[in-house]
Amino acid sequence: YKESTANRIPLYFWGKVVGHIVEPSGEMWFIYGQWQPVRSPTYDEFVSCIKTNEQAEVIIGDGQPPQKGFVNELPDDTIEVKCSPS
């Protein structure tokens, strides 16, 4: 993950956007910010995956190569994503 001046980063689950991290910031292995969900059946699967597996594997942003991460807690107004080493 590279610091970005963009104020929104898309978060992908199963290849589809499930929300955006708004005003993202990061430290060491984490990216966090305000959470703006995109309600859809895929979003429902994302939430279900966190509830069932205690984490969901996601892709952070549109960078190449893709940046993998994990969401371990259900997002509400904010979200925290643990980055996975590329």
Side-chain angles (χ1 to χ4, degrees), residues 4-15:
S4 170
T5 57
N7 63 355
R8 286 176 16 133
I9 297 174
L11 198 66
Y12 295 89
F13 179 73
W14 291 355

Side-chain angles (χ1 to χ4, degrees), residues 29-74:
W29 298 105
F30 294 91
I31 298 171
Y32 47 87
Q34 297 298 308
W35 177 238
Q36 196 173 64
V38 174
R39 305 287 180 191
S40 68
T42 305
Y43 178 80
D44 295 341
E45 289 295 331
F46 167 71
V47 169
S48 177
C49 185
I50 296 169
K51 287 180 178 177
T52 304
N53 302 318
E54 298 183 352
Q55 72 176 9
E57 185 173 332
V58 295
I59 299 295
I60 306 161
D62 296 315
Q64 291 299 323
Q67 173 63 59
K68 286 185 186 177
F70 295 92
V71 177
N72 297 318
E73 294 182 15
L74 290 173

